[in-house]
PDB file of all heavy atoms in Angstrom:
ATOM      1  N   THR I  22     -60.993  24.218 -32.443  1.00  0.00           N
ATOM      2  CA  THR I  22     -62.146  24.246 -31.544  1.00  0.00           C
ATOM      3  C   THR I  22     -63.417  24.448 -32.360  1.00  0.00           C
ATOM      4  O   THR I  22     -64.010  25.516 -32.389  1.00  0.00           O
ATOM      5  CB  THR I  22     -61.992  25.362 -30.493  1.00  0.00           C
ATOM      6  OG1 THR I  22     -61.642  26.576 -31.169  1.00  0.00           O
ATOM      7  CG2 THR I  22     -60.931  25.011 -29.479  1.00  0.00           C
ATOM      8  N   GLU I  23     -63.795  23.382 -33.054  1.00  0.00           N
ATOM      9  CA  GLU I  23     -64.948  23.405 -33.960  1.00  0.00           C
ATOM     10  C   GLU I  23     -65.903  22.288 -33.581  1.00  0.00           C
ATOM     11  O   GLU I  23     -65.493  21.149 -33.360  1.00  0.00           O
ATOM     12  CB  GLU I  23     -64.470  23.239 -35.396  1.00  0.00           C
ATOM     13  CG  GLU I  23     -65.570  23.182 -36.429  1.00  0.00           C
ATOM     14  CD  GLU I  23     -65.025  23.033 -37.838  1.00  0.00           C
ATOM     15  OE1 GLU I  23     -63.853  23.420 -38.078  1.00  0.00           O
ATOM     16  OE2 GLU I  23     -65.760  22.529 -38.700  1.00  0.00           O
ATOM     17  N   THR I  24     -67.195  22.614 -33.492  1.00  0.00           N
ATOM     18  CA  THR I  24     -68.214  21.644 -33.122  1.00  0.00           C
ATOM     19  C   THR I  24     -69.219  21.512 -34.257  1.00  0.00           C
ATOM     20  O   THR I  24     -69.614  22.514 -34.858  1.00  0.00           O
ATOM     21  CB  THR I  24     -68.950  22.084 -31.839  1.00  0.00           C
ATOM     22  OG1 THR I  24     -68.005  22.285 -30.790  1.00  0.00           O
ATOM     23  CG2 THR I  24     -69.962  21.041 -31.399  1.00  0.00           C
ATOM     24  N   LEU I  25     -69.629  20.275 -34.541  1.00  0.00           N
ATOM     25  CA  LEU I  25     -70.630  20.021 -35.580  1.00  0.00           C
ATOM     26  C   LEU I  25     -71.972  19.696 -34.923  1.00  0.00           C
ATOM     27  O   LEU I  25     -72.030  18.887 -34.002  1.00  0.00           O
ATOM     28  CB  LEU I  25     -70.188  18.850 -36.466  1.00  0.00           C
ATOM     29  CG  LEU I  25     -71.212  18.355 -37.495  1.00  0.00           C
ATOM     30  CD1 LEU I  25     -71.402  19.395 -38.584  1.00  0.00           C
ATOM     31  CD2 LEU I  25     -70.776  17.032 -38.099  1.00  0.00           C
ATOM     32  N   ARG I  26     -73.019  20.342 -35.398  1.00  0.00           N
ATOM     33  CA  ARG I  26     -74.370  20.070 -34.915  1.00  0.00           C
ATOM     34  C   ARG I  26     -75.346  20.084 -36.095  1.00  0.00           C
ATOM     35  O   ARG I  26     -75.107  20.710 -37.119  1.00  0.00           O
ATOM     36  CB  ARG I  26     -74.815  21.125 -33.906  1.00  0.00           C
ATOM     37  CG  ARG I  26     -74.140  21.037 -32.540  1.00  0.00           C
ATOM     38  CD  ARG I  26     -74.689  19.880 -31.726  1.00  0.00           C
ATOM     39  NE  ARG I  26     -74.196  19.912 -30.363  1.00  0.00           N
ATOM     40  CZ  ARG I  26     -73.060  19.359 -29.963  1.00  0.00           C
ATOM     41  NH1 ARG I  26     -72.291  18.731 -30.842  1.00  0.00           N
ATOM     42  NH2 ARG I  26     -72.688  19.417 -28.708  1.00  0.00           N
ATOM     43  N   PHE I  27     -76.466  19.373 -35.913  1.00  0.00           N
ATOM     44  CA  PHE I  27     -77.579  19.423 -36.863  1.00  0.00           C
ATOM     45  C   PHE I  27     -78.793  20.020 -36.152  1.00  0.00           C
ATOM     46  O   PHE I  27     -79.150  19.576 -35.059  1.00  0.00           O
ATOM     47  CB  PHE I  27     -77.965  18.025 -37.352  1.00  0.00           C
ATOM     48  CG  PHE I  27     -76.983  17.384 -38.293  1.00  0.00           C
ATOM     49  CD1 PHE I  27     -76.056  16.467 -37.818  1.00  0.00           C
ATOM     50  CD2 PHE I  27     -76.987  17.681 -39.647  1.00  0.00           C
ATOM     51  CE1 PHE I  27     -75.146  15.867 -38.683  1.00  0.00           C
ATOM     52  CE2 PHE I  27     -76.089  17.089 -40.515  1.00  0.00           C
ATOM     53  CZ  PHE I  27     -75.169  16.175 -40.030  1.00  0.00           C
ATOM     54  N   THR I  28     -79.428  21.003 -36.774  1.00  0.00           N
ATOM     55  CA  THR I  28     -80.714  21.496 -36.268  1.00  0.00           C
ATOM     56  C   THR I  28     -81.803  21.354 -37.338  1.00  0.00           C
ATOM     57  O   THR I  28     -82.917  21.843 -37.143  1.00  0.00           O
ATOM     58  CB  THR I  28     -80.616  22.970 -35.822  1.00  0.00           C
ATOM     59  OG1 THR I  28     -80.049  23.754 -36.867  1.00  0.00           O
ATOM     60  CG2 THR I  28     -79.784  23.096 -34.560  1.00  0.00           C
ATOM     61  N   THR I  29     -81.475  20.695 -38.437  1.00  0.00           N
ATOM     62  CA  THR I  29     -82.449  20.439 -39.500  1.00  0.00           C
ATOM     63  C   THR I  29     -82.390  18.961 -39.866  1.00  0.00           C
ATOM     64  O   THR I  29     -81.303  18.374 -39.890  1.00  0.00           O
ATOM     65  CB  THR I  29     -82.161  21.294 -40.748  1.00  0.00           C
ATOM     66  OG1 THR I  29     -82.043  22.667 -40.363  1.00  0.00           O
ATOM     67  CG2 THR I  29     -83.269  21.164 -41.774  1.00  0.00           C
ATOM     68  N   ALA I  30     -83.544  18.373 -40.113  1.00  0.00           N
ATOM     69  CA  ALA I  30     -83.601  16.956 -40.475  1.00  0.00           C
ATOM     70  C   ALA I  30     -84.564  16.731 -41.630  1.00  0.00           C
ATOM     71  O   ALA I  30     -85.591  17.414 -41.747  1.00  0.00           O
ATOM     72  CB  ALA I  30     -84.042  16.119 -39.273  1.00  0.00           C
ATOM     73  N   ILE I  31     -84.224  15.775 -42.476  1.00  0.00           N
ATOM     74  CA  ILE I  31     -85.119  15.288 -43.524  1.00  0.00           C
ATOM     75  C   ILE I  31     -85.787  14.061 -42.926  1.00  0.00           C
ATOM     76  O   ILE I  31     -85.155  13.027 -42.737  1.00  0.00           O
ATOM     77  CB  ILE I  31     -84.336  14.929 -44.799  1.00  0.00           C
ATOM     78  CG1 ILE I  31     -83.509  16.127 -45.273  1.00  0.00           C
ATOM     79  CG2 ILE I  31     -85.287  14.478 -45.911  1.00  0.00           C
ATOM     80  CD1 ILE I  31     -82.437  15.769 -46.286  1.00  0.00           C
ATOM     81  N   SER I  32     -87.073  14.168 -42.610  1.00  0.00           N
ATOM     82  CA  SER I  32     -87.695  13.202 -41.709  1.00  0.00           C
ATOM     83  C   SER I  32     -89.052  12.718 -42.201  1.00  0.00           C
ATOM     84  O   SER I  32     -89.533  13.124 -43.262  1.00  0.00           O
ATOM     85  CB  SER I  32     -87.867  13.850 -40.329  1.00  0.00           C
ATOM     86  OG  SER I  32     -88.938  14.795 -40.370  1.00  0.00           O
ATOM     87  N   THR I  33     -89.682  11.866 -41.378  1.00  0.00           N
ATOM     88  CA  THR I  33     -91.035  11.379 -41.668  1.00  0.00           C
ATOM     89  C   THR I  33     -92.051  12.520 -41.632  1.00  0.00           C
ATOM     90  O   THR I  33     -93.149  12.397 -42.176  1.00  0.00           O
ATOM     91  CB  THR I  33     -91.449  10.312 -40.642  1.00  0.00           C
ATOM     92  OG1 THR I  33     -91.333  10.867 -39.319  1.00  0.00           O
ATOM     93  CG2 THR I  33     -90.559   9.084 -40.740  1.00  0.00           C
ATOM     94  N   ALA I  34     -91.692  13.621 -40.985  1.00  0.00           N
ATOM     95  CA  ALA I  34     -92.575  14.793 -40.913  1.00  0.00           C
ATOM     96  C   ALA I  34     -92.190  15.861 -41.931  1.00  0.00           C
ATOM     97  O   ALA I  34     -92.612  17.001 -41.835  1.00  0.00           O
ATOM     98  CB  ALA I  34     -92.538  15.385 -39.501  1.00  0.00           C
ATOM     99  N   GLY I  35     -91.363  15.491 -42.909  1.00  0.00           N
ATOM    100  CA  GLY I  35     -90.865  16.456 -43.890  1.00  0.00           C
ATOM    101  C   GLY I  35     -89.537  17.028 -43.443  1.00  0.00           C
ATOM    102  O   GLY I  35     -88.815  16.405 -42.656  1.00  0.00           O
ATOM    103  N   ILE I  36     -89.208  18.211 -43.944  1.00  0.00           N
ATOM    104  CA  ILE I  36     -87.972  18.874 -43.518  1.00  0.00           C
ATOM    105  C   ILE I  36     -88.301  19.691 -42.276  1.00  0.00           C
ATOM    106  O   ILE I  36     -89.117  20.620 -42.314  1.00  0.00           O
ATOM    107  CB  ILE I  36     -87.405  19.766 -44.635  1.00  0.00           C
ATOM    108  CG1 ILE I  36     -87.024  18.890 -45.841  1.00  0.00           C
ATOM    109  CG2 ILE I  36     -86.184  20.541 -44.136  1.00  0.00           C
ATOM    110  CD1 ILE I  36     -86.541  19.666 -47.046  1.00  0.00           C
ATOM    111  N   VAL I  37     -87.686  19.327 -41.167  1.00  0.00           N
ATOM    112  CA  VAL I  37     -87.965  19.950 -39.874  1.00  0.00           C
ATOM    113  C   VAL I  37     -86.739  20.739 -39.422  1.00  0.00           C
ATOM    114  O   VAL I  37     -85.626  20.190 -39.386  1.00  0.00           O
ATOM    115  CB  VAL I  37     -88.334  18.893 -38.814  1.00  0.00           C
ATOM    116  CG1 VAL I  37     -88.491  19.533 -37.433  1.00  0.00           C
ATOM    117  CG2 VAL I  37     -89.614  18.174 -39.211  1.00  0.00           C
ATOM    118  N   HIS I  38     -86.957  21.992 -39.068  1.00  0.00           N
ATOM    119  CA  HIS I  38     -85.867  22.839 -38.570  1.00  0.00           C
ATOM    120  C   HIS I  38     -86.142  23.242 -37.127  1.00  0.00           C
ATOM    121  O   HIS I  38     -87.228  23.737 -36.805  1.00  0.00           O
ATOM    122  CB  HIS I  38     -85.723  24.097 -39.430  1.00  0.00           C
ATOM    123  CG  HIS I  38     -84.666  25.034 -38.930  1.00  0.00           C
ATOM    124  ND1 HIS I  38     -83.313  24.749 -39.015  1.00  0.00           N
ATOM    125  CD2 HIS I  38     -84.748  26.245 -38.309  1.00  0.00           C
ATOM    126  CE1 HIS I  38     -82.622  25.741 -38.490  1.00  0.00           C
ATOM    127  NE2 HIS I  38     -83.464  26.662 -38.045  1.00  0.00           N
ATOM    128  N   LEU I  39     -85.164  23.021 -36.258  1.00  0.00           N
ATOM    129  CA  LEU I  39     -85.256  23.429 -34.858  1.00  0.00           C
ATOM    130  C   LEU I  39     -84.610  24.802 -34.703  1.00  0.00           C
ATOM    131  O   LEU I  39     -83.486  25.007 -35.168  1.00  0.00           O
ATOM    132  CB  LEU I  39     -84.528  22.425 -33.961  1.00  0.00           C
ATOM    133  CG  LEU I  39     -84.934  20.950 -34.090  1.00  0.00           C
ATOM    134  CD1 LEU I  39     -83.987  20.075 -33.277  1.00  0.00           C
ATOM    135  CD2 LEU I  39     -86.370  20.749 -33.629  1.00  0.00           C
ATOM    136  N   PRO I  40     -85.259  25.746 -34.030  1.00  0.00           N
ATOM    137  CA  PRO I  40     -84.695  27.099 -33.887  1.00  0.00           C
ATOM    138  C   PRO I  40     -83.700  27.204 -32.736  1.00  0.00           C
ATOM    139  O   PRO I  40     -83.538  28.277 -32.161  1.00  0.00           O
ATOM    140  CB  PRO I  40     -85.943  27.951 -33.635  1.00  0.00           C
ATOM    141  CG  PRO I  40     -86.855  27.034 -32.880  1.00  0.00           C
ATOM    142  CD  PRO I  40     -86.621  25.651 -33.462  1.00  0.00           C
ATOM    143  N   THR I  41     -83.028  26.106 -32.419  1.00  0.00           N
ATOM    144  CA  THR I  41     -82.097  26.076 -31.285  1.00  0.00           C
ATOM    145  C   THR I  41     -81.038  27.156 -31.375  1.00  0.00           C
ATOM    146  O   THR I  41     -80.820  27.928 -30.438  1.00  0.00           O
ATOM    147  CB  THR I  41     -81.421  24.698 -31.203  1.00  0.00           C
ATOM    148  OG1 THR I  41     -82.431  23.685 -31.157  1.00  0.00           O
ATOM    149  CG2 THR I  41     -80.535  24.587 -29.978  1.00  0.00           C
ATOM    150  N   ALA I  42     -80.359  27.212 -32.512  1.00  0.00           N
ATOM    151  CA  ALA I  42     -79.267  28.177 -32.670  1.00  0.00           C
ATOM    152  C   ALA I  42     -79.790  29.605 -32.600  1.00  0.00           C
ATOM    153  O   ALA I  42     -79.175  30.474 -31.970  1.00  0.00           O
ATOM    154  CB  ALA I  42     -78.559  27.942 -33.999  1.00  0.00           C
ATOM    155  N   GLU I  43     -80.919  29.846 -33.235  1.00  0.00           N
ATOM    156  CA  GLU I  43     -81.489  31.188 -33.252  1.00  0.00           C
ATOM    157  C   GLU I  43     -81.851  31.664 -31.843  1.00  0.00           C
ATOM    158  O   GLU I  43     -81.689  32.833 -31.495  1.00  0.00           O
ATOM    159  CB  GLU I  43     -82.740  31.224 -34.148  1.00  0.00           C
ATOM    160  CG  GLU I  43     -82.451  31.039 -35.640  1.00  0.00           C
ATOM    161  CD  GLU I  43     -82.504  29.576 -36.081  1.00  0.00           C
ATOM    162  OE1 GLU I  43     -82.048  28.708 -35.303  1.00  0.00           O
ATOM    163  OE2 GLU I  43     -82.997  29.312 -37.193  1.00  0.00           O
ATOM    164  N   LEU I  44     -82.344  30.734 -31.000  1.00  0.00           N
ATOM    165  CA  LEU I  44     -82.742  31.087 -29.642  1.00  0.00           C
ATOM    166  C   LEU I  44     -81.539  31.275 -28.724  1.00  0.00           C
ATOM    167  O   LEU I  44     -81.593  32.076 -27.777  1.00  0.00           O
ATOM    168  CB  LEU I  44     -83.672  30.005 -29.077  1.00  0.00           C
ATOM    169  CG  LEU I  44     -85.035  29.863 -29.776  1.00  0.00           C
ATOM    170  CD1 LEU I  44     -85.779  28.662 -29.231  1.00  0.00           C
ATOM    171  CD2 LEU I  44     -85.862  31.132 -29.605  1.00  0.00           C
ATOM    172  N   LEU I  45     -80.461  30.560 -28.991  1.00  0.00           N
ATOM    173  CA  LEU I  45     -79.264  30.660 -28.158  1.00  0.00           C
ATOM    174  C   LEU I  45     -78.465  31.926 -28.441  1.00  0.00           C
ATOM    175  O   LEU I  45     -77.793  32.456 -27.558  1.00  0.00           O
ATOM    176  CB  LEU I  45     -78.364  29.440 -28.373  1.00  0.00           C
ATOM    177  CG  LEU I  45     -78.831  28.117 -27.784  1.00  0.00           C
ATOM    178  CD1 LEU I  45     -77.891  26.995 -28.214  1.00  0.00           C
ATOM    179  CD2 LEU I  45     -78.896  28.187 -26.259  1.00  0.00           C
ATOM    180  N   ALA I  46     -78.534  32.405 -29.676  1.00  0.00           N
ATOM    181  CA  ALA I  46     -77.686  33.524 -30.098  1.00  0.00           C
ATOM    182  C   ALA I  46     -78.134  34.853 -29.502  1.00  0.00           C
ATOM    183  O   ALA I  46     -79.327  35.105 -29.327  1.00  0.00           O
ATOM    184  CB  ALA I  46     -77.680  33.617 -31.622  1.00  0.00           C
TER     185      ALA I  46
END
């Protein structure tokens, strides 16, 4: 029972991190 997610991307706006996990915890 393991799920893979990305909350960080190497993008046109640089390295972008979403605080999704931090807010859910």
